[in-house]
Amino acid sequence: MIKLNFRPAAVAAAALAAILALSGCGGSTPASSASAANPYGLIEPGTVRVASLGDAKPYTFTDAQGNFTGFDVELFKDVAHRAGVDKVVFTGQDFSAILPAVANGQFDVGVAAIGITDKRKETVDFSEGYLAGYLTLITTKASGIKDADGVAGKRLGVVQGTLQEAYAVKNFGSANLVRFPDNNSAISAVNSGSVDAHFLDYEAAKSYEKQYGLVSAADIPSFDAPAGFALAKSKTAFKEALNKGLAAAMEDGTWKKLYQKWFPGSPMPEQYLPKAEQTATPAPTASK
Ligand code: SNW
């Protein structure tokens, strides 16, 4: 019985293969057509599926129409274009879901100001870094928290899976950590008073400060974990193409233009500028 069912299927499969071969699916280069059509091993050839965040303004966020935008989003689209892929589809995830989803192939890449660390490299691979900045403690004017020591005995929000969570566990042991799935829910909790402060990326903090009249109590350098694009370890060709595109976007001033657009007034890290604009002294990350 098994044989009777199996053989027609096998015949059908062989026939289908023959039809595909004859119908010109790379008829002239049959041996390499599959990889030539999808050199980066993307989930869907010609499309990059990106796991991202809807509430990390100005890095990645959704505008009033629901479209993803921000520094990381525009930089990634530019770099993908240089790599020859113009169809880029962003999907919002909880931060803690991004790296697992990238590692198991649900997305081609993760783009969300994701700091490159050895710990994360156990799960995924990264492009070269493209952003290095601070982790910020944000609070209300009335909280009385004036510096990092001020969180002792206070309720401190962190987004699950972030470097802020790891830093707080290590360094703010006397604070009561409250874990949130995303920035918006943590900031709501700050505004309602159910937590005393939230710990997030510098530029996102600045954006919430402006929106809700919150204040920064401390900025903690995170230059040793610059943000990179996260990829599955198997996607080496894609990583190389993104690295090439990133270097070109830095050298021709595109990176600088996007930085000034999205982070106006913020100190300009030299290491990502065109080489001619870098001073002779080593960049801050190299000298520290
Ligand atoms: O380590 C920093 C980096 O120096 C730069 O300032 C961009 O943000 C970071 O990558 C840290 N970002 C956090 C993380 O990687 C939170 C990411 C997020 O909330 N989107 O865990």
mmCIF file with all atom_site columns, all heavy atoms in Angstrom, residues 4 7-8 26-27 47 58 106 131 149 165 170 182 186 190 232 237 243 248-249 267 283 288:
data_model
loop_
_atom_site.group_PDB
_atom_site.id
_atom_site.type_symbol
_atom_site.label_atom_id
_atom_site.label_alt_id
_atom_site.label_comp_id
_atom_site.label_asym_id
_atom_site.label_entity_id
_atom_site.label_seq_id
_atom_site.pdbx_PDB_ins_code
_atom_site.Cartn_x
_atom_site.Cartn_y
_atom_site.Cartn_z
_atom_site.occupancy
_atom_site.B_iso_or_equiv
_atom_site.pdbx_formal_charge
_atom_site.auth_seq_id
_atom_site.auth_comp_id
_atom_site.auth_asym_id
_atom_site.auth_atom_id
_atom_site.pdbx_PDB_model_num
ATOM 1   N N   . LEU A 1 4   ? 2.339  1.690  -3.382  1.00 0.00 ? 4   LEU A N   1
ATOM 2   C CA  . LEU A 1 4   ? 1.393  2.174  -4.396  1.00 0.00 ? 4   LEU A CA  1
ATOM 3   C C   . LEU A 1 4   ? 1.207  3.680  -4.296  1.00 0.00 ? 4   LEU A C   1
ATOM 4   O O   . LEU A 1 4   ? 1.111  4.381  -5.285  1.00 0.00 ? 4   LEU A O   1
ATOM 5   C CB  . LEU A 1 4   ? 0.044  1.463  -4.233  1.00 0.00 ? 4   LEU A CB  1
ATOM 6   C CG  . LEU A 1 4   ? -0.011 0.066  -4.820  1.00 0.00 ? 4   LEU A CG  1
ATOM 7   C CD1 . LEU A 1 4   ? -1.350 -0.598 -4.486  1.00 0.00 ? 4   LEU A CD1 1
ATOM 8   C CD2 . LEU A 1 4   ? 0.212  0.088  -6.336  1.00 0.00 ? 4   LEU A CD2 1
ATOM 9   N N   . ARG A 1 7   ? 4.854  5.590  -5.191  1.00 0.00 ? 7   ARG A N   1
ATOM 10  C CA  . ARG A 1 7   ? 5.424  5.676  -6.537  1.00 0.00 ? 7   ARG A CA  1
ATOM 11  C C   . ARG A 1 7   ? 4.794  6.769  -7.399  1.00 0.00 ? 7   ARG A C   1
ATOM 12  O O   . ARG A 1 7   ? 5.513  7.532  -8.023  1.00 0.00 ? 7   ARG A O   1
ATOM 13  C CB  . ARG A 1 7   ? 5.354  4.306  -7.200  1.00 0.00 ? 7   ARG A CB  1
ATOM 14  C CG  . ARG A 1 7   ? 6.320  3.347  -6.534  1.00 0.00 ? 7   ARG A CG  1
ATOM 15  C CD  . ARG A 1 7   ? 6.333  2.004  -7.183  1.00 0.00 ? 7   ARG A CD  1
ATOM 16  N NE  . ARG A 1 7   ? 7.255  1.951  -8.295  1.00 0.00 ? 7   ARG A NE  1
ATOM 17  C CZ  . ARG A 1 7   ? 7.436  0.831  -8.992  1.00 0.00 ? 7   ARG A CZ  1
ATOM 18  N NH1 . ARG A 1 7   ? 6.744  -0.241 -8.725  1.00 0.00 ? 7   ARG A NH1 1
ATOM 19  N NH2 . ARG A 1 7   ? 8.305  0.812  -9.986  1.00 0.00 ? 7   ARG A NH2 1
ATOM 20  N N   . PRO A 1 8   ? 3.464  6.897  -7.407  1.00 0.00 ? 8   PRO A N   1
ATOM 21  C CA  . PRO A 1 8   ? 2.907  7.992  -8.218  1.00 0.00 ? 8   PRO A CA  1
ATOM 22  C C   . PRO A 1 8   ? 3.413  9.355  -7.749  1.00 0.00 ? 8   PRO A C   1
ATOM 23  O O   . PRO A 1 8   ? 3.665  10.241 -8.548  1.00 0.00 ? 8   PRO A O   1
ATOM 24  C CB  . PRO A 1 8   ? 1.395  7.862  -7.982  1.00 0.00 ? 8   PRO A CB  1
ATOM 25  C CG  . PRO A 1 8   ? 1.199  6.449  -7.554  1.00 0.00 ? 8   PRO A CG  1
ATOM 26  C CD  . PRO A 1 8   ? 2.434  6.071  -6.807  1.00 0.00 ? 8   PRO A CD  1
ATOM 27  N N   . GLY A 1 26  ? 16.049 29.637 -14.497 1.00 0.00 ? 26  GLY A N   1
ATOM 28  C CA  . GLY A 1 26  ? 17.512 29.604 -14.540 1.00 0.00 ? 26  GLY A CA  1
ATOM 29  C C   . GLY A 1 26  ? 17.999 28.513 -15.473 1.00 0.00 ? 26  GLY A C   1
ATOM 30  O O   . GLY A 1 26  ? 19.019 27.902 -15.226 1.00 0.00 ? 26  GLY A O   1
ATOM 31  N N   . GLY A 1 27  ? 17.279 28.281 -16.557 1.00 0.00 ? 27  GLY A N   1
ATOM 32  C CA  . GLY A 1 27  ? 17.605 27.211 -17.478 1.00 0.00 ? 27  GLY A CA  1
ATOM 33  C C   . GLY A 1 27  ? 19.044 27.229 -17.967 1.00 0.00 ? 27  GLY A C   1
ATOM 34  O O   . GLY A 1 27  ? 19.647 26.182 -18.170 1.00 0.00 ? 27  GLY A O   1
ATOM 35  N N   . THR A 1 47  ? 13.325 39.948 -0.401  1.00 0.00 ? 47  THR A N   1
ATOM 36  C CA  . THR A 1 47  ? 12.675 40.682 0.693   1.00 0.00 ? 47  THR A CA  1
ATOM 37  C C   . THR A 1 47  ? 13.461 40.455 1.981   1.00 0.00 ? 47  THR A C   1
ATOM 38  O O   . THR A 1 47  ? 13.857 39.324 2.265   1.00 0.00 ? 47  THR A O   1
ATOM 39  C CB  . THR A 1 47  ? 11.236 40.170 0.903   1.00 0.00 ? 47  THR A CB  1
ATOM 40  O OG1 . THR A 1 47  ? 10.489 40.398 -0.289  1.00 0.00 ? 47  THR A OG1 1
ATOM 41  C CG2 . THR A 1 47  ? 10.549 40.888 2.065   1.00 0.00 ? 47  THR A CG2 1
ATOM 42  N N   . PRO A 1 58  ? 13.875 57.753 19.030  1.00 0.00 ? 58  PRO A N   1
ATOM 43  C CA  . PRO A 1 58  ? 13.938 57.891 17.574  1.00 0.00 ? 58  PRO A CA  1
ATOM 44  C C   . PRO A 1 58  ? 14.758 56.814 16.868  1.00 0.00 ? 58  PRO A C   1
ATOM 45  O O   . PRO A 1 58  ? 15.134 57.000 15.733  1.00 0.00 ? 58  PRO A O   1
ATOM 46  C CB  . PRO A 1 58  ? 14.626 59.254 17.418  1.00 0.00 ? 58  PRO A CB  1
ATOM 47  C CG  . PRO A 1 58  ? 15.576 59.299 18.580  1.00 0.00 ? 58  PRO A CG  1
ATOM 48  C CD  . PRO A 1 58  ? 14.944 58.510 19.702  1.00 0.00 ? 58  PRO A CD  1
ATOM 49  N N   . GLN A 1 106 ? 12.835 33.067 11.969  1.00 0.00 ? 106 GLN A N   1
ATOM 50  C CA  . GLN A 1 106 ? 11.541 33.705 11.708  1.00 0.00 ? 106 GLN A CA  1
ATOM 51  C C   . GLN A 1 106 ? 11.716 35.069 11.051  1.00 0.00 ? 106 GLN A C   1
ATOM 52  O O   . GLN A 1 106 ? 10.798 35.583 10.422  1.00 0.00 ? 106 GLN A O   1
ATOM 53  C CB  . GLN A 1 106 ? 10.780 33.911 13.020  1.00 0.00 ? 106 GLN A CB  1
ATOM 54  C CG  . GLN A 1 106 ? 10.135 32.661 13.553  1.00 0.00 ? 106 GLN A CG  1
ATOM 55  C CD  . GLN A 1 106 ? 9.558  32.944 14.932  1.00 0.00 ? 106 GLN A CD  1
ATOM 56  O OE1 . GLN A 1 106 ? 10.205 32.729 15.954  1.00 0.00 ? 106 GLN A OE1 1
ATOM 57  N NE2 . GLN A 1 106 ? 8.352  33.455 14.952  1.00 0.00 ? 106 GLN A NE2 1
ATOM 58  N N   . LEU A 1 131 ? 26.358 52.453 16.148  1.00 0.00 ? 131 LEU A N   1
ATOM 59  C CA  . LEU A 1 131 ? 25.870 53.469 17.094  1.00 0.00 ? 131 LEU A CA  1
ATOM 60  C C   . LEU A 1 131 ? 26.415 53.136 18.478  1.00 0.00 ? 131 LEU A C   1
ATOM 61  O O   . LEU A 1 131 ? 26.358 51.983 18.895  1.00 0.00 ? 131 LEU A O   1
ATOM 62  C CB  . LEU A 1 131 ? 24.340 53.414 17.116  1.00 0.00 ? 131 LEU A CB  1
ATOM 63  C CG  . LEU A 1 131 ? 23.550 54.634 17.573  1.00 0.00 ? 131 LEU A CG  1
ATOM 64  C CD1 . LEU A 1 131 ? 23.902 55.848 16.717  1.00 0.00 ? 131 LEU A CD1 1
ATOM 65  C CD2 . LEU A 1 131 ? 22.059 54.343 17.451  1.00 0.00 ? 131 LEU A CD2 1
ATOM 66  N N   . ASP A 1 149 ? 22.798 56.529 42.303  1.00 0.00 ? 149 ASP A N   1
ATOM 67  C CA  . ASP A 1 149 ? 22.638 56.051 43.688  1.00 0.00 ? 149 ASP A CA  1
ATOM 68  C C   . ASP A 1 149 ? 21.209 56.239 44.193  1.00 0.00 ? 149 ASP A C   1
ATOM 69  O O   . ASP A 1 149 ? 20.763 55.529 45.098  1.00 0.00 ? 149 ASP A O   1
ATOM 70  C CB  . ASP A 1 149 ? 23.593 56.806 44.628  1.00 0.00 ? 149 ASP A CB  1
ATOM 71  C CG  . ASP A 1 149 ? 25.048 56.476 44.342  1.00 0.00 ? 149 ASP A CG  1
ATOM 72  O OD1 . ASP A 1 149 ? 25.290 55.400 43.744  1.00 0.00 ? 149 ASP A OD1 1
ATOM 73  O OD2 . ASP A 1 149 ? 25.931 57.294 44.687  1.00 0.00 ? 149 ASP A OD2 1
ATOM 74  N N   . GLU A 1 165 ? 18.574 45.948 31.733  1.00 0.00 ? 165 GLU A N   1
ATOM 75  C CA  . GLU A 1 165 ? 18.195 44.947 32.740  1.00 0.00 ? 165 GLU A CA  1
ATOM 76  C C   . GLU A 1 165 ? 19.457 44.302 33.323  1.00 0.00 ? 165 GLU A C   1
ATOM 77  O O   . GLU A 1 165 ? 19.613 44.201 34.546  1.00 0.00 ? 165 GLU A O   1
ATOM 78  C CB  . GLU A 1 165 ? 17.294 43.866 32.129  1.00 0.00 ? 165 GLU A CB  1
ATOM 79  C CG  . GLU A 1 165 ? 16.885 42.813 33.160  1.00 0.00 ? 165 GLU A CG  1
ATOM 80  C CD  . GLU A 1 165 ? 16.166 41.602 32.556  1.00 0.00 ? 165 GLU A CD  1
ATOM 81  O OE1 . GLU A 1 165 ? 16.349 41.325 31.350  1.00 0.00 ? 165 GLU A OE1 1
ATOM 82  O OE2 . GLU A 1 165 ? 15.429 40.939 33.290  1.00 0.00 ? 165 GLU A OE2 1
ATOM 83  N N   . LYS A 1 170 ? 23.268 43.856 37.909  1.00 0.00 ? 170 LYS A N   1
ATOM 84  C CA  . LYS A 1 170 ? 24.650 43.841 38.375  1.00 0.00 ? 170 LYS A CA  1
ATOM 85  C C   . LYS A 1 170 ? 24.972 45.017 39.304  1.00 0.00 ? 170 LYS A C   1
ATOM 86  O O   . LYS A 1 170 ? 25.675 44.855 40.297  1.00 0.00 ? 170 LYS A O   1
ATOM 87  C CB  . LYS A 1 170 ? 25.567 43.899 37.139  1.00 0.00 ? 170 LYS A CB  1
ATOM 88  C CG  . LYS A 1 170 ? 26.930 43.313 37.364  1.00 0.00 ? 170 LYS A CG  1
ATOM 89  C CD  . LYS A 1 170 ? 27.682 43.153 36.054  1.00 0.00 ? 170 LYS A CD  1
ATOM 90  C CE  . LYS A 1 170 ? 29.170 43.112 36.335  1.00 0.00 ? 170 LYS A CE  1
ATOM 91  N NZ  . LYS A 1 170 ? 29.953 43.479 35.138  1.00 0.00 ? 170 LYS A NZ  1
ATOM 92  N N   . ASP A 1 182 ? 7.972  46.341 27.174  1.00 0.00 ? 182 ASP A N   1
ATOM 93  C CA  . ASP A 1 182 ? 8.346  47.400 26.227  1.00 0.00 ? 182 ASP A CA  1
ATOM 94  C C   . ASP A 1 182 ? 8.444  48.747 26.942  1.00 0.00 ? 182 ASP A C   1
ATOM 95  O O   . ASP A 1 182 ? 8.037  48.889 28.102  1.00 0.00 ? 182 ASP A O   1
ATOM 96  C CB  . ASP A 1 182 ? 7.338  47.475 25.072  1.00 0.00 ? 182 ASP A CB  1
ATOM 97  C CG  . ASP A 1 182 ? 5.908  47.576 25.581  1.00 0.00 ? 182 ASP A CG  1
ATOM 98  O OD1 . ASP A 1 182 ? 5.647  48.407 26.462  1.00 0.00 ? 182 ASP A OD1 1
ATOM 99  O OD2 . ASP A 1 182 ? 5.060  46.802 25.093  1.00 0.00 ? 182 ASP A OD2 1
ATOM 100 N N   . ALA A 1 186 ? 6.451  50.731 30.436  1.00 0.00 ? 186 ALA A N   1
ATOM 101 C CA  . ALA A 1 186 ? 7.298  51.186 31.539  1.00 0.00 ? 186 ALA A CA  1
ATOM 102 C C   . ALA A 1 186 ? 7.116  52.682 31.788  1.00 0.00 ? 186 ALA A C   1
ATOM 103 O O   . ALA A 1 186 ? 7.042  53.131 32.945  1.00 0.00 ? 186 ALA A O   1
ATOM 104 C CB  . ALA A 1 186 ? 8.758  50.874 31.246  1.00 0.00 ? 186 ALA A CB  1
ATOM 105 N N   . VAL A 1 190 ? 5.851  54.888 35.030  1.00 0.00 ? 190 VAL A N   1
ATOM 106 C CA  . VAL A 1 190 ? 6.526  56.049 35.629  1.00 0.00 ? 190 VAL A CA  1
ATOM 107 C C   . VAL A 1 190 ? 5.508  57.176 35.798  1.00 0.00 ? 190 VAL A C   1
ATOM 108 O O   . VAL A 1 190 ? 5.404  57.800 36.859  1.00 0.00 ? 190 VAL A O   1
ATOM 109 C CB  . VAL A 1 190 ? 7.701  56.536 34.740  1.00 0.00 ? 190 VAL A CB  1
ATOM 110 C CG1 . VAL A 1 190 ? 8.252  57.868 35.258  1.00 0.00 ? 190 VAL A CG1 1
ATOM 111 C CG2 . VAL A 1 190 ? 8.802  55.485 34.692  1.00 0.00 ? 190 VAL A CG2 1
ATOM 112 N N   . ALA A 1 232 ? 21.067 35.612 11.998  1.00 0.00 ? 232 ALA A N   1
ATOM 113 C CA  . ALA A 1 232 ? 21.342 34.206 12.318  1.00 0.00 ? 232 ALA A CA  1
ATOM 114 C C   . ALA A 1 232 ? 22.785 33.906 11.916  1.00 0.00 ? 232 ALA A C   1
ATOM 115 O O   . ALA A 1 232 ? 23.305 34.481 10.959  1.00 0.00 ? 232 ALA A O   1
ATOM 116 C CB  . ALA A 1 232 ? 20.383 33.296 11.558  1.00 0.00 ? 232 ALA A CB  1
ATOM 117 N N   . ALA A 1 237 ? 26.808 35.470 4.176   1.00 0.00 ? 237 ALA A N   1
ATOM 118 C CA  . ALA A 1 237 ? 26.875 36.291 2.954   1.00 0.00 ? 237 ALA A CA  1
ATOM 119 C C   . ALA A 1 237 ? 26.109 37.599 3.159   1.00 0.00 ? 237 ALA A C   1
ATOM 120 O O   . ALA A 1 237 ? 26.551 38.667 2.733   1.00 0.00 ? 237 ALA A O   1
ATOM 121 C CB  . ALA A 1 237 ? 26.303 35.524 1.766   1.00 0.00 ? 237 ALA A CB  1
ATOM 122 N N   . ASN A 1 243 ? 27.809 44.664 6.005   1.00 0.00 ? 243 ASN A N   1
ATOM 123 C CA  . ASN A 1 243 ? 29.015 45.345 6.471   1.00 0.00 ? 243 ASN A CA  1
ATOM 124 C C   . ASN A 1 243 ? 29.600 46.248 5.398   1.00 0.00 ? 243 ASN A C   1
ATOM 125 O O   . ASN A 1 243 ? 30.032 47.368 5.675   1.00 0.00 ? 243 ASN A O   1
ATOM 126 C CB  . ASN A 1 243 ? 30.060 44.325 6.931   1.00 0.00 ? 243 ASN A CB  1
ATOM 127 C CG  . ASN A 1 243 ? 29.780 43.814 8.335   1.00 0.00 ? 243 ASN A CG  1
ATOM 128 O OD1 . ASN A 1 243 ? 29.044 44.456 9.098   1.00 0.00 ? 243 ASN A OD1 1
ATOM 129 N ND2 . ASN A 1 243 ? 30.339 42.672 8.669   1.00 0.00 ? 243 ASN A ND2 1
ATOM 130 N N   . ALA A 1 248 ? 30.174 51.857 3.475   1.00 0.00 ? 248 ALA A N   1
ATOM 131 C CA  . ALA A 1 248 ? 29.948 52.845 2.406   1.00 0.00 ? 248 ALA A CA  1
ATOM 132 C C   . ALA A 1 248 ? 29.050 53.977 2.901   1.00 0.00 ? 248 ALA A C   1
ATOM 133 O O   . ALA A 1 248 ? 29.286 55.150 2.600   1.00 0.00 ? 248 ALA A O   1
ATOM 134 C CB  . ALA A 1 248 ? 29.344 52.160 1.184   1.00 0.00 ? 248 ALA A CB  1
ATOM 135 N N   . ALA A 1 249 ? 28.015 53.624 3.684   1.00 0.00 ? 249 ALA A N   1
ATOM 136 C CA  . ALA A 1 249 ? 27.093 54.646 4.203   1.00 0.00 ? 249 ALA A CA  1
ATOM 137 C C   . ALA A 1 249 ? 27.810 55.578 5.178   1.00 0.00 ? 249 ALA A C   1
ATOM 138 O O   . ALA A 1 249 ? 27.465 56.756 5.292   1.00 0.00 ? 249 ALA A O   1
ATOM 139 C CB  . ALA A 1 249 ? 25.904 53.981 4.883   1.00 0.00 ? 249 ALA A CB  1
ATOM 140 N N   . PRO A 1 267 ? 26.039 64.638 20.884  1.00 0.00 ? 267 PRO A N   1
ATOM 141 C CA  . PRO A 1 267 ? 27.460 64.589 20.523  1.00 0.00 ? 267 PRO A CA  1
ATOM 142 C C   . PRO A 1 267 ? 27.695 63.591 19.386  1.00 0.00 ? 267 PRO A C   1
ATOM 143 O O   . PRO A 1 267 ? 27.103 62.512 19.372  1.00 0.00 ? 267 PRO A O   1
ATOM 144 C CB  . PRO A 1 267 ? 28.147 64.137 21.808  1.00 0.00 ? 267 PRO A CB  1
ATOM 145 C CG  . PRO A 1 267 ? 27.057 63.632 22.707  1.00 0.00 ? 267 PRO A CG  1
ATOM 146 C CD  . PRO A 1 267 ? 25.797 64.302 22.283  1.00 0.00 ? 267 PRO A CD  1
ATOM 147 N N   . ALA A 1 283 ? 39.359 57.592 18.433  1.00 0.00 ? 283 ALA A N   1
ATOM 148 C CA  . ALA A 1 283 ? 37.981 57.786 18.871  1.00 0.00 ? 283 ALA A CA  1
ATOM 149 C C   . ALA A 1 283 ? 37.863 57.390 20.343  1.00 0.00 ? 283 ALA A C   1
ATOM 150 O O   . ALA A 1 283 ? 38.670 56.603 20.841  1.00 0.00 ? 283 ALA A O   1
ATOM 151 C CB  . ALA A 1 283 ? 37.055 56.927 18.021  1.00 0.00 ? 283 ALA A CB  1
ATOM 152 N N   . LYS A 1 288 ? 39.548 54.247 25.460  1.00 0.00 ? 288 LYS A N   1
ATOM 153 C CA  . LYS A 1 288 ? 39.069 53.868 26.808  1.00 0.00 ? 288 LYS A CA  1
ATOM 154 C C   . LYS A 1 288 ? 39.399 52.427 27.146  1.00 0.00 ? 288 LYS A C   1
ATOM 155 O O   . LYS A 1 288 ? 39.462 51.604 26.254  1.00 0.00 ? 288 LYS A O   1
ATOM 156 C CB  . LYS A 1 288 ? 37.563 54.077 26.900  1.00 0.00 ? 288 LYS A CB  1
ATOM 157 C CG  . LYS A 1 288 ? 37.294 55.499 27.352  1.00 0.00 ? 288 LYS A CG  1
ATOM 158 C CD  . LYS A 1 288 ? 35.835 55.717 27.706  1.00 0.00 ? 288 LYS A CD  1
ATOM 159 C CE  . LYS A 1 288 ? 35.623 57.175 28.088  1.00 0.00 ? 288 LYS A CE  1
ATOM 160 N NZ  . LYS A 1 288 ? 34.260 57.543 28.166  1.00 0.00 ? 288 LYS A NZ  1
#
